[in-house]
Amino acid sequence: MSVKHVGVALLGLGVVGGGTYEILRDKRGMIAKNDGVDIEVRRVLDRNTERLKQLGVESLAARDIDEIVHDPDIDIVAEFFGGVEPAKSFLIKALEAGKSIVTANKEMLAKSWRELESAAERGGGGLYFEASCVGGVPVIRTLTDSMQGNAVTSLKGIVNGTTNYILSRMSDEGVEYDVCLKEAQRLGYAEADPTADVDGFDSSYKNCILSSLAYRVRIPLESVYREGISNINVKDIAYGKELGYTLKLLAISKCGNGVVEARVHPSFLPSSHPLAAVKGAFNALYIHGDSVDDIMLYGRGAGALPTGSAIVSDIVFAAGKDKHRRFPFQSEVGEDIAVSDDFSSSHYIRFDVKEEEGTLGKISGAFAKCGVPVKTVLKKDDGTLIIVTHEVRESVVKRALFAAEQLSGVERVVAHIRVEE
Ligand code: HSE
């Protein structure tokens, strides 16, 4: 087999950049033999001289992005800075210069996909981002290259390792939230600013990317409803367990009848659901296609080598292409498809109630009046009352909660968590 020689530049040599460098260095021969492309890291851009030394790449260090952009020996630029700027400006320059880019930068993509895509079109290079969602698990390529015989109708995913690690430890070991978060940071799962993880931003970027690909509809990030896990109390995780549920931060989206919905929020799942078994920093994506039925992709969603594995796969993929894939979305939200934030689900509601006769009956009555059927009730001796409803729309449950809070026997609604049956 004749081997094609390809030059790569790595922007940033942190956890994932370093992991990618190591994979490319150690597996260069294997990749050349298997895939017919000899991939050589020819340039790196990182101000941390200690890190350059540690990886033995001082001689490859570029002074600035222009040196890389104007280097004819660089075909592919892989970016590991994270955040929108300066990554976006650097990558647009590289794309306009005809390079292909590979990135794990979900925030930049979710916010600036169109600009990056048009720069790629102008330059003729490719835009590759397998590593942006679910780390080492090939979810992007599954959606773009393996679902052609399907209308994808829903996605449900655990797409953030940090929050899954925190919720799993809170659930299995009763460990406090703050301790779990520190440990996730130490293990390198969390973003530089971990509020991006715990407040659901990271999952919303990934949901925006995955849902846009799944439904061939460009879904703006602002249309993705978002709630994080920082208000989750370990008591609700335990009560949920008693009711047969496991708590996860889920990225959910659905598409049908000209309407799409995309959301990120804590959700109770039946403990028998395959996603409930996904623990620690592991991620999974559960896809429903109308031909294939349900499939689930599972694996490590963060970390140096798993994310590096997806980056290297994109580099090899890009290296082998003379003509690159474009993403001509068939629909545009707001033009020919609507976004709904009045989505349906069941609801877990925890009340503090007073020692008064008939409070449960009054709440059930108020719920029934608003059209919210009660499915399950759990009552504790300490004034805790939990109601799980059947599936209703958000707007309907909000009216019912307001009505219940006006009742004399109700102190307050302590927790409200959606349930995906
Ligand atoms: N902070 C992210 C996570 C990293 O915890 O999943 C991978 O995108």
Side-chain angles (χ1 to χ4, degrees):
M1 186 183 352
S2 75
V3 171
K4 181 174 177 186
H5 296 275
V6 173
V8 171
L10 305 181
L11 310 185
L13 290 172
V15 176
V16 179
T20 300
Y21 175 73
E22 284 168 351
I23 299 175
L24 288 173
R25 180 195 60 201
D26 299 344
K27 299 200 159 51
R28 184 171 170 184
M30 182 190 88
I31 293 170
K33 194 162 157 227
N34 292 343
D35 297 277
V37 279
D38 176 34
I39 296 169
E40 185 183 7
V41 177
R42 294 181 180 154
R43 289 287 190 182
V44 296
L45 186 65
D46 197 308
R47 283 202 210 119
N48 183 343
T49 44
E50 271 316 299
R51 184 69 170 152
L52 296 174
K53 240 188 236 164
Q54 197 182 26
L55 292 166
V57 291
E58 300 111 299
S59 62
L60 306 181
R63 278 187 308 275
D64 55 29
I65 186 67
D66 292 322
E67 217 179 306
I68 289 170
V69 164
H70 297 121
D71 185 340
D73 290 334
I74 298 298
D75 306 290
I76 298 171
V77 176
E79 178 267 327
F80 306 96
F81 291 150
V84 177
E85 287 296 356
K88 180 174 136 187
S89 306
F90 284 9
L91 293 185
I92 286 180
K93 267 190 191 182
L95 284 165
E96 283 175 340
K99 318 286 185 203
S100 285
I101 67 161
V102 173
T103 179
N105 193 329
K106 55 256 160 161
E107 180 180 359
M108 175 191 65
L109 266 170
K111 293 181 176 168
S112 310
W113 199 338
R114 192 192 286 274
E115 285 165 82
L116 290 158
E117 187 58 31
S118 36
E121 257 175 65
R122 286 195 297 278
L127 174 58
Y128 294 88
F129 46 89
E130 179 64 68
S132 64
C133 300
V134 197
V137 186
V139 289
I140 305 272
R141 207 151 291 129
T142 299
L143 288 172
T144 55
D145 292 62
S146 305
M147 301 295 287
Q148 293 92 333
N150 292 268
V152 177
T153 55
S154 73
L155 299 180
K156 272 191 197 122
I158 295 169
V159 297
N160 181 270
T162 301
T163 46
N164 202 48
Y165 175 84
I166 293 172
L167 292 177
S168 303
R169 289 203 65 193
M170 285 173 82
S171 174
D172 294 349
E173 301 164 45
V175 179
E176 292 297 331
Y177 173 87
D178 292 342
V179 176
C180 300
L181 174 56
K182 284 211 177 82
E183 190 60 10
Q185 286 176 288
R186 193 187 65 78
L187 291 167
Y189 305 143
E191 297 300 305
D193 173 4
T195 54
D197 298 294
V198 296
D199 290 339
F201 289 100
D202 181 75
S203 296
S204 70
Y205 304 145
K206 293 168 181 168
N207 195 350
C208 169
I209 297 166
L210 293 170
S211 300
S212 297
L213 293 174
Y215 311 127
R216 299 340 196 215
V217 170
R218 198 189 298 274
I219 298 172
L221 181 60
E222 312 76 74
S223 308
V224 181
Y225 175 85
R226 177 189 56 78
E227 266 177 41
I229 64 161
S230 37
N231 291 328
I232 293 296
N233 189 311
V234 83
K235 275 188 186 169
D236 291 300
I237 298 183
Y239 291 140
K241 258 193 201 173
E242 258 185 72
L243 292 162
Y245 297 124
T246 300
L247 189 73
K248 296 289 177 192
L249 181 70
L250 289 189
I252 300 170
S253 68
K254 296 179 185 170
C255 183
N257 302 323
V259 181
V260 72
E261 67 179 51
R263 46 192 164 108
V264 169
H265 53 68
S267 297
F268 276 123
L269 282 167
S271 297
S272 56
H273 192 286
L275 285 172
V278 176
K279 300 224 175 188
F282 279 89
N283 284 192
L285 185 68
Y286 199 79
I287 307 173
H288 185 84
D290 63 353
S291 303
V292 70
D293 201 2
D294 291 326
I295 57 175
M296 186 163 107
L297 299 156
Y298 165 87
R300 292 193 183 276
L305 296 182
T307 312
S309 158
I311 294 273
V312 170
S313 147
D314 268 353
I315 292 176
V316 173
F317 202 75
K321 292 252 178 258
D322 293 321
K323 198 169 180 326
H324 298 276
R325 174 197 291 282
R326 301 280 168 241
F327 291 97
F329 292 101
Q330 288 164 1
S331 302
E332 191 79 19
V333 158
E335 284 171 17
D336 47 2
I337 194 148
V339 178
S340 168
D341 57 5
D342 194 17
F343 42 85
S344 287
S345 57
S346 302
H347 299 264
Y348 161 106
I349 300 148
R350 172 157 68 99
F351 296 93
D352 271 350
V353 291
K354 293 178 195 154
E355 286 293 314
E356 260 182 42
E357 275 298 300
T359 302
L360 172 59
K362 284 188 207 156
I363 298 176
S364 306
F367 271 31
K369 226 173 171 180
C370 296
V372 178
V374 171
K375 183 181 168 196
T376 314
V377 173
L378 181 65
K379 206 168 178 325
K380 298 284 172 185
D381 292 337
D382 62 355
T384 296
L385 175 69
I386 292 156
I387 288 182
V388 180
T389 74
H390 283 286
E391 200 174 305
V392 284
R393 296 214 161 268
E394 287 284 303
S395 53
V396 175
V397 82
K398 278 185 186 142
R399 272 202 300 276
L401 287 178
F402 181 77
E405 278 186 312
Q406 313 311 309
L407 298 169
S408 62
V410 173
E411 292 274 15
R412 64 192 179 115
V413 172
V414 193
H416 170 206
I417 299 172
R418 295 168 190 90
V419 181
E420 283 297 308
E421 296 288 2

